[in-house]
Amino acid sequence: MDRDPPTALQTWIRQLVHDELALAIASTQISSEYLTTAEAGSLARVAPGTVRRWIRQGRLPCTSAGREVRVRRADLERMMRRDSPGTKPREPSPEAQAARMFGLGRE
């Protein structure tokens, strides 16, 4: 059984799948990377003490061995996405809270 040479479309699809798989593998390796508090602070553009405070507050999980503390890059990125201003639920204004409590503004 003779095989025809691949068409340009088949070659392009093969290359696209190859590139996407390589990208997926690379991102998996990066997301499981462990960072020091200094590295995490640099990535988040905050001081290392801020990263340690996030850990103490329970906002950022960590792994420790003795005095060495490490955070997973994926956990840091998840926390930064969750805490970004665009994703926080907004607190209703005092006026809206009063209207809801006393049934004002509804007829």
Side-chain angles (χ1 to χ4, degrees):
M1 178 173 176
D2 289 330
R3 294 186 110 183
D4 293 329
T7 65
L9 180 60
Q10 288 171 326
T11 303
W12 179 80
I13 290 172
R14 194 173 286 136
Q15 184 63 43
L16 179 65
V17 169
H18 178 268
D19 294 346
E20 287 297 317
L21 284 173
L23 183 63
I25 290 169
S27 68
T28 301
Q29 291 170 346
I30 288 172
S31 68
S32 64
E33 175 185 9
Y34 282 89
L35 306 169
T36 64
T37 54
E39 292 167 336
S42 177
L43 186 65
R45 295 189 174 139
V46 297
T50 301
V51 175
R52 288 190 290 275
R53 186 179 70 238
W54 291 339
I55 292 169
R56 279 192 313 273
Q57 291 172 340
R59 293 173 59 193
L60 181 62
C62 72
T63 301
S64 60
R67 297 184 73 193
E68 297 294 319
V69 176
R70 300 284 187 270
V71 296
R72 284 185 49 227
R73 182 185 192 112
D75 292 335
L76 177 64
E77 290 172 351
R78 188 176 308 114
M79 187 211 69
M80 290 189 318
R81 275 193 310 271
R82 182 183 65 230
D83 290 352
S84 67
T87 60
K88 275 189 178 178
R90 296 189 119 182
E91 185 78 23
S93 68
E95 292 83 4
Q97 289 177 1
R100 186 177 43 200
M101 287 173 60
F102 300 108
L104 302 175
R106 286 188 234 153
E107 297 199 15

